[in-house]
Amino acid sequence: MSHSAAIVTGPGFQDHDVVYTYYRLIEEGWDVAVATKDGDPVIGKYGVPLPMDKTAKPLIAFDDLVDGEWDAVILTGGHEAPDRIRQDKRVLEFVAGMDNAGKVVAGLCHGPWIMVSAGVLRGRTACAYIGLRDDVINAGATVVDSDVIVDGNIITCSYYAYVGVFMRAVFETVEKLAA
């Protein structure tokens, strides 16, 4: 069974987050799209360009995000990108729709800021990078110290160094929800 994921990001993204998640999804045979505000190229915090290479599909725009079309959404970190993205109603509606549909909503490092603004963390258990821990608590989540937390279809990861564990959780959760 083939799966699909949308990686939602923007200027100043955490390069490690996007590079690792993108290529791991591709390696597992997933259909992957990277979404930016208008589908325009962006540059990461440390200079990685999107699209990343000549084999990458063109970027899609936030307008192209339809919650029923994806098995998972990956919300990557890098202080700047998630803070910009969480101000965009299209992304917030998409993330809330993915949650309502029971699809995987996964936030890495600062990515859960988008989940906070989309209102999908209330009543959930999550972990959080120290820089947004208070925001996640104030959004109604119970925050525990952990590398990765899976609460139903919601996945949070506290720091990009744990991205391997994070991606295993994404794959396992999508499989479990599809069964």
Side-chain angles (χ1 to χ4, degrees), residues 3 24 28 30 104 148 150 152 155 164-179:
H3 294 294
R24 276 298 290 126
E28 292 297 319
W30 284 44
V104 169
V148 174
V150 178
I155 303 171
V165 176
F166 172 75
M167 289 306 295
R168 283 192 298 278
V170 169
F171 296 137
E172 290 167 7
T173 305
V174 167
E175 286 298 326
K176 182 178 171 184
L177 294 173

Side-chain angles (χ1 to χ4, degrees), residues 95-145:
V95 170
M98 287 286 288
D99 180 45
N100 288 335
K103 302 293 185 173
V104 169
V105 177
L108 175 59
C109 206
H110 275 83
W113 254 352
I114 302 162
M115 299 161 85
V116 165
S117 295
V120 301
L121 293 178
R122 180 164 309 284
R124 303 292 191 135
T125 300
C127 59
Y129 180 69
I130 189 67
L132 61 130
R133 182 181 178 93
D134 292 343
D135 298 316
V136 175
I137 291 168
N138 290 334
T142 299
V143 174
V144 296
D145 289 329

Side-chain angles (χ1 to χ4, degrees), residues 15 26 46 66 68 70 73 81-82 86 110 117 120 132 148 152 158 162 167:
D15 306 53
I26 295 294
Y46 299 109
V66 178
W70 308 96
V73 57
R86 71 188 194 142
H110 275 83
S117 295
V120 301
L132 61 130
V148 174
S158 59
Y162 311 127
M167 289 306 295

Side-chain angles (χ1 to χ4, degrees), residues 7-13 34-44 48-52 57-64 85 90:
I7 298 172
V8 178
T9 195
F13 62 86
V34 178
T36 61
K37 183 176 181 177
D38 297 311
D40 293 332
V42 295
I43 303 293
V48 168
L50 290 179
M52 284 184 275
K57 292 190 292 186
L59 302 174
I60 66 170
F62 292 164
D63 283 335
D64 299 324
I85 293 165
R90 297 170 296 177

